[in-house]
């Protein structure tokens, strides 16, 4: 009897040890390594006529350089909360900067399809916005993300989402955001200057097709949003600064195909997004003086991209992306608008990007990308070679 | 007359309970668990399977349709042991349904109920996509499956106590026929004991453990890595000395590698159903083992 008991406890001990092995990654620590080589054909300074650039917007660095290295730590806090922190470590002009990309908690046990997220997070607007850079199918963000959000819209605040108890997937939600970072600029309205509304709907068509459609809206009372300044010879630096009302509306869709729903051999993904921004307010050229040059500003900027990625055999994928933007900005002083970079110079930015990547395993990826970039009048050919590697227990990706 | 009223009332009550009781929504991660849940739950459960036999359970997208299904589920039945780690946690986090989170009665992991094989001594990705808690393809050993069935039946009774007797009765029936089938399969499979097989992926460990079959090679160079032609050539050299009985692959794996190796070595390549729905006639767990044994016995010279 004693022997049987001790045997049983030995077995249960062994089982417990296994259970510990599963949880030995708690909290989960995951590391993304990203390195690049870029070659530009055009040496002039990057601009996107009609759009005030901010954030990390730009074509990146030339030559050998580091990309977006990320360290993420996440775990269930307890039975009610989940928490995650992501830091992006990047070099900017020779200095290493650690940026807090995400730091949020999320409820898991509210039930009824409801969840609340609070802290810093990627806003739920659009489709690509919630994906980390390492999960993108191309090296860089679509031009419309660059033009409107400075690559990606990250903010501090609270998000509420609700999934409907229906056969078809339907999620609706909203966010109340601090609005301090680009493109809201300035924590106006006591640090709750921006908000969003979003809805997503999706499902399957047969066993081989899956789709999702999203609608989203972002609005902010912008206070002193600044964009890259420049100095004329012998004069003080002038920083274009916008204050006023800003609204972005977007529609996004993604469609994925895999034969019999089995994506391991071949699969195809088509995705597209369209955004339009309306802004109303004033732009000043802040040079530190009491009476800087100023103009009223009524802006409309819009753009879309469409991209397709095909995995034609295990490990290998090819992709094609097309970007198109247009700005129509008006103001009382066209000259000041032009100085602020808000004159479209009669140019509609466009870009065609080709990509091929190879993944030895699901944790490593090597990518070659070529872009014919007509962001501004002088066309640029950009060639980029990139590696993206993921270490540690890498969490599941969203659809 | 009085009796008639009683009968009518009884019929009405039965109708009512039946419709209100067919209420346990079961979300099965793989077809084998959908089949088991249907067998054990009968008409008191409504089962959906997240995947089919033609889909690789390691690589499933956290699709919107699956989020909607998890949202309404009362019970998730999954293999566990990290097989679904690339998609299930995302579904659970997005669905906003606390009933089916890990640690809750509404979350059932088959691998958790049995002694697992292939638990690695150390964890290193250079060894491929290995699972810290061992090999997750647990349903291919009918002895372990029997243990899992008992645990799942208990879980159903626990979640839906009003139907506990119903579940117990169905389990007893299943258990009895399963034991009979097990004896039958064991006798039939005698010629396979000690056989040597090449696999595509290491999803047959529990089946081999049951029958004493020896795995002599894998088409994948490392678990989870795509097949490469260099590895096939190496494998061919290694197998020349003592050719194995067959090269086996499943419905969700590309047959190309197995057929290529078969061509250059003359060793037969055999497609096995792997799970319910993986071949014609494989409609439940019984026919799964019937068909698997039939196809393997056919290649014995």
């Amino acid at each position: 009897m004693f022997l049987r008991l001790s045997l049983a406890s030995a077995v249960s001990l062994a089982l417990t040890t296994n259970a510990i092995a599963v949880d030995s990654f708690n909290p989960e620590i995951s590391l993304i390594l990203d390195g690049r080589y870029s070659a530009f054909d055009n040496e002039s300074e990057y601009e996107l006529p009609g759009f005030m650039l901010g954030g990390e917007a730009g074509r990146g660095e030339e030559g050998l350089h580091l990309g977006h290295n990320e360290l993420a730590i996440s775990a269930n806090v307890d039975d009610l909360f989940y928490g995650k922190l992501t830091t992006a470590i990047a070099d900017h002009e020779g200095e290493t900067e650690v940026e807090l990309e995400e730091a949020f908690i999320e409820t898991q046990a509210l039930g009824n399809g409801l969840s609340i997220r609070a802290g810093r997070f990627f806003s739920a607007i659009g489709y690509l916005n919630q994906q980390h850079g390492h999960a993108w199918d191309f090296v860089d963000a679509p031009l419309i993300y660059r033009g409107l959000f400075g690559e990606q819209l990250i903010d501090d605040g609270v998000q509420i989402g609700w999934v409907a108890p229906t056969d078809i997937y339907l999620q609706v939600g909203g966010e109340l955001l601090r609005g301090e970072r680009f493109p809201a600029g300035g924590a106006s309205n006591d640090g709750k200057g921006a908000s969003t509304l979003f809805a997503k709907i999706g499902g399957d068509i047969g066993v081989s097709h899956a789709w999702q459609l999203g609608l989203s809206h972002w609005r902010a009372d912008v206070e002193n949003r600044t964009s890259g300044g420049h100095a004329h010879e012998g004069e003080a630096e002038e920083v274009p600064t916008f204050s006023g009302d800003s609204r972005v509306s977007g529609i996004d869709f993604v469609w994925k195909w895999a034969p019999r729903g089995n994506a391991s051999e071949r699969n195809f993904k088509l995705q597209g997004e369209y955004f339009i921004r309306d802004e109303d307010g004033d732009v000043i050229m802040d040079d530190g003086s009491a009476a800087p040059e100023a103009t009223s500003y009524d802006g409309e900027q819009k753009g879309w991209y469409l991209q397709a990625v095909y995995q034609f055999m295990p490990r290998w994928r090819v992709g094609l992306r097309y970007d198109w933007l247009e700005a129509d900005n008006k103001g009382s002083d066209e000259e000041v608008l032009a100085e602020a970079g808000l004159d479209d110079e009669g140019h509609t930015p466009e870009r065609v990007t080709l990509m091929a990547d190879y993944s030895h395993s699901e944790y490593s990826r090597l990518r070659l990308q070529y872009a014919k970039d007509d962001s501004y009048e002088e066309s640029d050919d950009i060639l980029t070679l990139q590696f993206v590697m993921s270490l540690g227990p890498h969490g599941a990706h969203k659809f | 007359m009085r009796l008639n009223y009683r009968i009518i009332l009884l019929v009405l009550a039965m109708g009512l309970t039946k419709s209100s009781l067919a209420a346990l929504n079961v979300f099965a991660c793989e077809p084998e668990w959908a089949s088991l849940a249907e067998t054990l739950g009968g008409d008191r459960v409504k089962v959906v399977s997240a995947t089919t036999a033609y889909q690789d359970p390691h690589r499933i997208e956290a699709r919107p349709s699956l989020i909607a299904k998890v949202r309404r589920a009362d019970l998730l039945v999954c293999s566990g042991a990290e097989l679904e780690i690339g998609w299930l946690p995302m579904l659970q986090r997005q669905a906003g349904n606390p009933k089916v989170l890990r640690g809750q009665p509404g979350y059932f992991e088959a691998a958790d109920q049995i002694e697992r094989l292939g638990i690695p001594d150390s964890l290193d990705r250079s060894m491929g996509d290995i699972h810290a808690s061992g090999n997750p393809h647990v349903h291919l050993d009918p002895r372990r499956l029997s243990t899992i069935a008992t645990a799942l039946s208990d879980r159903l009774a626990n979640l839906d106590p009003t139907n506990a007797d119903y579940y117990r009765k169905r389990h007893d029936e299943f258990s009895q026929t399963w034991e009979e089938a097990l004896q039958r399969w064991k006798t039939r499979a005698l010629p396979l004991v000690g056989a040597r097989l090449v696999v595509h992926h290491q999803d047959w460990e529990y089946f081999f453990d049951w029958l004493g079959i020896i795995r002599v090679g894998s088409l994948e160079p490392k678990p989870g890595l795509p097949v490469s032609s260099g590895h096939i050539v190496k494998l061919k050299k290694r197998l020349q000395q003592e050719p194995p009985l067959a090269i086996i692959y499943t419905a969700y794996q590309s047959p190309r590698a197995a057929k290529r190796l078969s061509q250059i070595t003359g060793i037969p390549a055999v497609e096995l159903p792997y799970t319910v729905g993986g071949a014609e006639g494989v409609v439940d767990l019984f026919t799964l083992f019937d068909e698997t044994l039939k196809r393997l016995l056919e290649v014995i010279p």
Side-chain angles (χ1 to χ4, degrees), chain B residues 104-124:
Chain B
Q104 296 299 314
Y107 181 71
F108 182 90
E109 263 192 14
D112 224 21
Q113 319 300 327
I114 48 110
E115 190 198 331
R116 290 181 297 274
L117 299 172
I119 294 172
D121 296 327
S122 65
L123 290 171
D124 191 321

PDB file of all heavy atoms in Angstrom, chain B residues 104-124:
ATOM      1  N   GLN B 104      -9.608  27.170 -16.235  1.00  0.00           N
ATOM      2  CA  GLN B 104     -11.050  27.153 -15.988  1.00  0.00           C
ATOM      3  C   GLN B 104     -11.627  25.784 -16.371  1.00  0.00           C
ATOM      4  O   GLN B 104     -11.054  25.095 -17.203  1.00  0.00           O
ATOM      5  CB  GLN B 104     -11.743  28.234 -16.826  1.00  0.00           C
ATOM      6  CG  GLN B 104     -11.334  29.662 -16.479  1.00  0.00           C
ATOM      7  CD  GLN B 104     -11.667  30.007 -15.037  1.00  0.00           C
ATOM      8  OE1 GLN B 104     -12.754  29.732 -14.553  1.00  0.00           O
ATOM      9  NE2 GLN B 104     -10.707  30.607 -14.339  1.00  0.00           N
ATOM     10  N   PRO B 105     -12.789  25.408 -15.789  1.00  0.00           N
ATOM     11  CA  PRO B 105     -13.409  24.124 -16.166  1.00  0.00           C
ATOM     12  C   PRO B 105     -13.732  24.051 -17.662  1.00  0.00           C
ATOM     13  O   PRO B 105     -13.783  22.976 -18.237  1.00  0.00           O
ATOM     14  CB  PRO B 105     -14.699  24.097 -15.341  1.00  0.00           C
ATOM     15  CG  PRO B 105     -14.502  25.084 -14.258  1.00  0.00           C
ATOM     16  CD  PRO B 105     -13.541  26.115 -14.745  1.00  0.00           C
ATOM     17  N   GLY B 106     -13.917  25.183 -18.293  1.00  0.00           N
ATOM     18  CA  GLY B 106     -14.241  25.205 -19.717  1.00  0.00           C
ATOM     19  C   GLY B 106     -13.035  25.059 -20.627  1.00  0.00           C
ATOM     20  O   GLY B 106     -13.151  25.286 -21.838  1.00  0.00           O
ATOM     21  N   TYR B 107     -11.891  24.717 -20.065  1.00  0.00           N
ATOM     22  CA  TYR B 107     -10.692  24.513 -20.892  1.00  0.00           C
ATOM     23  C   TYR B 107     -10.142  23.130 -20.619  1.00  0.00           C
ATOM     24  O   TYR B 107      -9.719  22.831 -19.495  1.00  0.00           O
ATOM     25  CB  TYR B 107      -9.645  25.580 -20.565  1.00  0.00           C
ATOM     26  CG  TYR B 107      -8.380  25.460 -21.387  1.00  0.00           C
ATOM     27  CD1 TYR B 107      -8.389  25.777 -22.734  1.00  0.00           C
ATOM     28  CD2 TYR B 107      -7.197  25.020 -20.808  1.00  0.00           C
ATOM     29  CE1 TYR B 107      -7.247  25.653 -23.493  1.00  0.00           C
ATOM     30  CE2 TYR B 107      -6.045  24.898 -21.560  1.00  0.00           C
ATOM     31  CZ  TYR B 107      -6.071  25.220 -22.904  1.00  0.00           C
ATOM     32  OH  TYR B 107      -4.931  25.103 -23.651  1.00  0.00           O
ATOM     33  N   PHE B 108     -10.191  22.266 -21.628  1.00  0.00           N
ATOM     34  CA  PHE B 108      -9.756  20.877 -21.460  1.00  0.00           C
ATOM     35  C   PHE B 108      -8.597  20.577 -22.394  1.00  0.00           C
ATOM     36  O   PHE B 108      -8.703  20.729 -23.611  1.00  0.00           O
ATOM     37  CB  PHE B 108     -10.930  19.940 -21.777  1.00  0.00           C
ATOM     38  CG  PHE B 108     -10.617  18.482 -21.585  1.00  0.00           C
ATOM     39  CD1 PHE B 108     -10.824  17.858 -20.359  1.00  0.00           C
ATOM     40  CD2 PHE B 108     -10.120  17.727 -22.650  1.00  0.00           C
ATOM     41  CE1 PHE B 108     -10.540  16.508 -20.197  1.00  0.00           C
ATOM     42  CE2 PHE B 108      -9.835  16.370 -22.492  1.00  0.00           C
ATOM     43  CZ  PHE B 108     -10.047  15.764 -21.260  1.00  0.00           C
ATOM     44  N   GLU B 109      -7.466  20.175 -21.806  1.00  0.00           N
ATOM     45  CA  GLU B 109      -6.294  19.805 -22.599  1.00  0.00           C
ATOM     46  C   GLU B 109      -6.096  18.309 -22.519  1.00  0.00           C
ATOM     47  O   GLU B 109      -5.853  17.761 -21.436  1.00  0.00           O
ATOM     48  CB  GLU B 109      -5.048  20.494 -22.031  1.00  0.00           C
ATOM     49  CG  GLU B 109      -4.678  21.762 -22.734  1.00  0.00           C
ATOM     50  CD  GLU B 109      -3.295  22.265 -22.352  1.00  0.00           C
ATOM     51  OE1 GLU B 109      -2.516  21.511 -21.739  1.00  0.00           O
ATOM     52  OE2 GLU B 109      -2.995  23.405 -22.689  1.00  0.00           O
ATOM     53  N   ALA B 110      -6.164  17.637 -23.666  1.00  0.00           N
ATOM     54  CA  ALA B 110      -6.011  16.183 -23.683  1.00  0.00           C
ATOM     55  C   ALA B 110      -4.636  15.760 -23.160  1.00  0.00           C
ATOM     56  O   ALA B 110      -4.514  14.812 -22.381  1.00  0.00           O
ATOM     57  CB  ALA B 110      -6.223  15.659 -25.100  1.00  0.00           C
ATOM     58  N   ALA B 111      -3.606  16.492 -23.571  1.00  0.00           N
ATOM     59  CA  ALA B 111      -2.238  16.111 -23.198  1.00  0.00           C
ATOM     60  C   ALA B 111      -2.011  16.192 -21.691  1.00  0.00           C
ATOM     61  O   ALA B 111      -1.092  15.579 -21.157  1.00  0.00           O
ATOM     62  CB  ALA B 111      -1.232  16.989 -23.930  1.00  0.00           C
ATOM     63  N   ASP B 112      -2.858  16.968 -21.036  1.00  0.00           N
ATOM     64  CA  ASP B 112      -2.739  17.145 -19.596  1.00  0.00           C
ATOM     65  C   ASP B 112      -3.218  15.920 -18.827  1.00  0.00           C
ATOM     66  O   ASP B 112      -2.947  15.796 -17.639  1.00  0.00           O
ATOM     67  CB  ASP B 112      -3.597  18.358 -19.200  1.00  0.00           C
ATOM     68  CG  ASP B 112      -2.872  19.257 -18.221  1.00  0.00           C
ATOM     69  OD1 ASP B 112      -1.634  19.178 -18.176  1.00  0.00           O
ATOM     70  OD2 ASP B 112      -3.544  20.024 -17.521  1.00  0.00           O
ATOM     71  N   GLN B 113      -3.965  15.042 -19.485  1.00  0.00           N
ATOM     72  CA  GLN B 113      -4.603  13.923 -18.798  1.00  0.00           C
ATOM     73  C   GLN B 113      -3.743  12.669 -18.780  1.00  0.00           C
ATOM     74  O   GLN B 113      -4.078  11.697 -18.117  1.00  0.00           O
ATOM     75  CB  GLN B 113      -5.953  13.564 -19.466  1.00  0.00           C
ATOM     76  CG  GLN B 113      -6.794  14.762 -19.874  1.00  0.00           C
ATOM     77  CD  GLN B 113      -7.151  15.656 -18.701  1.00  0.00           C
ATOM     78  OE1 GLN B 113      -7.327  15.162 -17.585  1.00  0.00           O
ATOM     79  NE2 GLN B 113      -7.235  16.956 -18.943  1.00  0.00           N
ATOM     80  N   ILE B 114      -2.668  12.680 -19.562  1.00  0.00           N
ATOM     81  CA  ILE B 114      -1.906  11.438 -19.741  1.00  0.00           C
ATOM     82  C   ILE B 114      -0.409  11.691 -19.554  1.00  0.00           C
ATOM     83  O   ILE B 114       0.031  12.831 -19.484  1.00  0.00           O
ATOM     84  CB  ILE B 114      -2.157  10.851 -21.146  1.00  0.00           C
ATOM     85  CG1 ILE B 114      -2.012  11.959 -22.220  1.00  0.00           C
ATOM     86  CG2 ILE B 114      -3.520  10.222 -21.258  1.00  0.00           C
ATOM     87  CD1 ILE B 114      -0.847  11.829 -23.061  1.00  0.00           C
ATOM     88  N   GLU B 115       0.326  10.594 -19.524  1.00  0.00           N
ATOM     89  CA  GLU B 115       1.773  10.706 -19.440  1.00  0.00           C
ATOM     90  C   GLU B 115       2.292  10.984 -20.848  1.00  0.00           C
ATOM     91  O   GLU B 115       2.009  10.241 -21.775  1.00  0.00           O
ATOM     92  CB  GLU B 115       2.336   9.389 -18.907  1.00  0.00           C
ATOM     93  CG  GLU B 115       3.786   9.451 -18.545  1.00  0.00           C
ATOM     94  CD  GLU B 115       4.380   8.053 -18.440  1.00  0.00           C
ATOM     95  OE1 GLU B 115       3.611   7.121 -18.097  1.00  0.00           O
ATOM     96  OE2 GLU B 115       5.564   7.893 -18.735  1.00  0.00           O
ATOM     97  N   ARG B 116       3.034  12.067 -20.990  1.00  0.00           N
ATOM     98  CA  ARG B 116       3.473  12.460 -22.332  1.00  0.00           C
ATOM     99  C   ARG B 116       4.837  11.902 -22.686  1.00  0.00           C
ATOM    100  O   ARG B 116       5.657  11.619 -21.813  1.00  0.00           O
ATOM    101  CB  ARG B 116       3.504  13.987 -22.439  1.00  0.00           C
ATOM    102  CG  ARG B 116       2.127  14.598 -22.433  1.00  0.00           C
ATOM    103  CD  ARG B 116       2.196  16.096 -22.567  1.00  0.00           C
ATOM    104  NE  ARG B 116       2.888  16.714 -21.455  1.00  0.00           N
ATOM    105  CZ  ARG B 116       2.279  17.041 -20.312  1.00  0.00           C
ATOM    106  NH1 ARG B 116       1.002  16.807 -20.162  1.00  0.00           N
ATOM    107  NH2 ARG B 116       2.957  17.603 -19.340  1.00  0.00           N
ATOM    108  N   LEU B 117       5.052  11.789 -23.982  1.00  0.00           N
ATOM    109  CA  LEU B 117       6.345  11.314 -24.497  1.00  0.00           C
ATOM    110  C   LEU B 117       7.130  12.503 -25.049  1.00  0.00           C
ATOM    111  O   LEU B 117       6.559  13.538 -25.360  1.00  0.00           O
ATOM    112  CB  LEU B 117       6.113  10.314 -25.626  1.00  0.00           C
ATOM    113  CG  LEU B 117       5.334   9.040 -25.279  1.00  0.00           C
ATOM    114  CD1 LEU B 117       5.025   8.274 -26.555  1.00  0.00           C
ATOM    115  CD2 LEU B 117       6.117   8.168 -24.311  1.00  0.00           C
ATOM    116  N   GLY B 118       8.405  12.297 -25.192  1.00  0.00           N
ATOM    117  CA  GLY B 118       9.238  13.284 -25.886  1.00  0.00           C
ATOM    118  C   GLY B 118       9.386  14.608 -25.170  1.00  0.00           C
ATOM    119  O   GLY B 118       9.487  15.656 -25.811  1.00  0.00           O
ATOM    120  N   ILE B 119       9.400  14.580 -23.835  1.00  0.00           N
ATOM    121  CA  ILE B 119       9.644  15.825 -23.104  1.00  0.00           C
ATOM    122  C   ILE B 119      11.143  16.129 -23.197  1.00  0.00           C
ATOM    123  O   ILE B 119      11.971  15.316 -22.777  1.00  0.00           O
ATOM    124  CB  ILE B 119       9.178  15.707 -21.640  1.00  0.00           C
ATOM    125  CG1 ILE B 119       7.654  15.551 -21.624  1.00  0.00           C
ATOM    126  CG2 ILE B 119       9.604  16.929 -20.831  1.00  0.00           C
ATOM    127  CD1 ILE B 119       7.068  15.228 -20.288  1.00  0.00           C
ATOM    128  N   PRO B 120      11.510  17.265 -23.792  1.00  0.00           N
ATOM    129  CA  PRO B 120      12.943  17.520 -24.015  1.00  0.00           C
ATOM    130  C   PRO B 120      13.669  17.817 -22.709  1.00  0.00           C
ATOM    131  O   PRO B 120      13.099  18.372 -21.774  1.00  0.00           O
ATOM    132  CB  PRO B 120      12.932  18.752 -24.926  1.00  0.00           C
ATOM    133  CG  PRO B 120      11.614  19.405 -24.716  1.00  0.00           C
ATOM    134  CD  PRO B 120      10.654  18.350 -24.283  1.00  0.00           C
ATOM    135  N   ASP B 121      14.942  17.416 -22.673  1.00  0.00           N
ATOM    136  CA  ASP B 121      15.761  17.682 -21.485  1.00  0.00           C
ATOM    137  C   ASP B 121      16.139  19.150 -21.427  1.00  0.00           C
ATOM    138  O   ASP B 121      16.300  19.739 -20.377  1.00  0.00           O
ATOM    139  CB  ASP B 121      17.043  16.830 -21.519  1.00  0.00           C
ATOM    140  CG  ASP B 121      16.695  15.353 -21.454  1.00  0.00           C
ATOM    141  OD1 ASP B 121      15.693  15.030 -20.797  1.00  0.00           O
ATOM    142  OD2 ASP B 121      17.406  14.549 -22.073  1.00  0.00           O
ATOM    143  N   SER B 122      16.341  19.731 -22.619  1.00  0.00           N
ATOM    144  CA  SER B 122      16.664  21.152 -22.653  1.00  0.00           C
ATOM    145  C   SER B 122      15.903  21.775 -23.801  1.00  0.00           C
ATOM    146  O   SER B 122      15.498  21.089 -24.732  1.00  0.00           O
ATOM    147  CB  SER B 122      18.167  21.344 -22.857  1.00  0.00           C
ATOM    148  OG  SER B 122      18.534  20.858 -24.127  1.00  0.00           O
ATOM    149  N   LEU B 123      15.692  23.069 -23.696  1.00  0.00           N
ATOM    150  CA  LEU B 123      14.927  23.770 -24.720  1.00  0.00           C
ATOM    151  C   LEU B 123      15.847  24.654 -25.532  1.00  0.00           C
ATOM    152  O   LEU B 123      16.472  25.560 -24.989  1.00  0.00           O
ATOM    153  CB  LEU B 123      13.843  24.637 -24.063  1.00  0.00           C
ATOM    154  CG  LEU B 123      12.683  23.889 -23.420  1.00  0.00           C
ATOM    155  CD1 LEU B 123      11.838  24.852 -22.633  1.00  0.00           C
ATOM    156  CD2 LEU B 123      11.858  23.180 -24.472  1.00  0.00           C
ATOM    157  N   ASP B 124      15.935  24.382 -26.805  1.00  0.00           N
ATOM    158  CA  ASP B 124      16.784  25.203 -27.660  1.00  0.00           C
ATOM    159  C   ASP B 124      16.201  25.136 -29.062  1.00  0.00           C
ATOM    160  O   ASP B 124      15.982  24.053 -29.594  1.00  0.00           O
ATOM    161  CB  ASP B 124      18.212  24.652 -27.643  1.00  0.00           C
ATOM    162  CG  ASP B 124      19.198  25.600 -28.285  1.00  0.00           C
ATOM    163  OD1 ASP B 124      18.850  26.233 -29.319  1.00  0.00           O
ATOM    164  OD2 ASP B 124      20.316  25.718 -27.774  1.00  0.00           O
TER     165      ASP B 124
END
